Amino acid sequence: MKYAVYILFMVLSQNVQSQTPNTEVIFFDIVDLASCNKNSEIGYLKKVHLGMFSYDLKNFESHKSLTYRMFQRSTRFIDSIALTPKEKKYLLTELKASKDFEWNLTKKTTLKIADNSRWLTNRDSSKKHRNRRLKIVSKPIFIRNNTIACVYSTDLCCGKINGHTSLSLYKRINNKWTEWIAICQGDF
């Protein structure tokens, strides 16, 4: 009996931490190497930075409304989604559980694995590092029959710790996972 419980535990924990081909597709759609400067050196962290990730999760958790809207140029309303209380609870639970998720990319890439955000600001030659970018992407959490994914991402650039963070809903548009509706985002 204890072996059956152990096997069940392993299967369930594998679900939380596993990486599927669909999650890797989202990773590369978010990183979008084609849009980056050809002279840029792009790195990624295998795990999300817990401090920044936790901040956006707390903001999401504190939202009273379950309706999120997409605007064009901050003024024109385009689309929205109304999450059910069950979906929001599921997203929060799964995002928190994925804090230890690590990317193990199978696709060949020019991306560099960075040990931490200091890779971006290594001061031995500041000119050299000015073209560095660092991408941080969480494990995607899928809802609504895998048609929508919730992903936390950070894009740090310019050889400094500045950039953009976003906890967003992604939707597959023209065969590419595209940021659809931002739940929490900010620049620093």
Side-chain angles (χ1 to χ4, degrees), residues 79-94:
D79 205 353
S80 68
I81 185 171
L83 296 174
T84 66
K86 188 176 178 180
E87 284 175 323
K88 182 173 180 177
K89 183 178 180 182
Y90 172 76
L91 288 174
L92 284 164
T93 301
E94 292 299 309

Side-chain angles (χ1 to χ4, degrees), residues 96-145:
K96 287 176 184 176
S98 74
K99 69 180 174 20
D100 294 322
F101 173 79
E102 286 192 17
W103 287 103
N104 184 16
L105 302 176
T106 58
K107 180 180 173 184
K108 295 278 189 219
T109 180
T110 59
L111 292 172
K112 310 281 188 218
I113 298 174
D115 295 334
N116 56 46
S117 58
R118 282 182 294 209
W119 175 84
L120 189 69
T121 60
N122 189 345
R123 296 290 179 204
D124 61 357
S125 171
S126 59
K127 278 187 177 180
K128 174 183 167 190
H129 300 295
R130 203 173 301 150
N131 288 330
R132 280 190 168 177
R133 296 181 73 130
L134 184 62
K135 306 284 188 169
I136 305 168
V137 180
S138 75
K139 177 184 178 187
I141 309 300
F142 296 94
I143 58 173
R144 301 194 181 176
N145 296 321

Side-chain angles (χ1 to χ4, degrees), residues 1-13:
M1 180 64 172
K2 71 178 180 182
Y3 292 113
V5 171
Y6 177 74
I7 290 170
L8 180 63
F9 172 76
M10 292 304 290
V11 167
L12 291 175
S13 64

Side-chain angles (χ1 to χ4, degrees), residues 52-64:
M52 291 187 279
F53 187 47
S54 298
Y55 178 81
D56 283 333
L57 280 178
K58 285 178 190 168
N59 280 340
F60 179 37
E61 196 166 20
S62 69
H63 289 175
K64 302 290 184 225

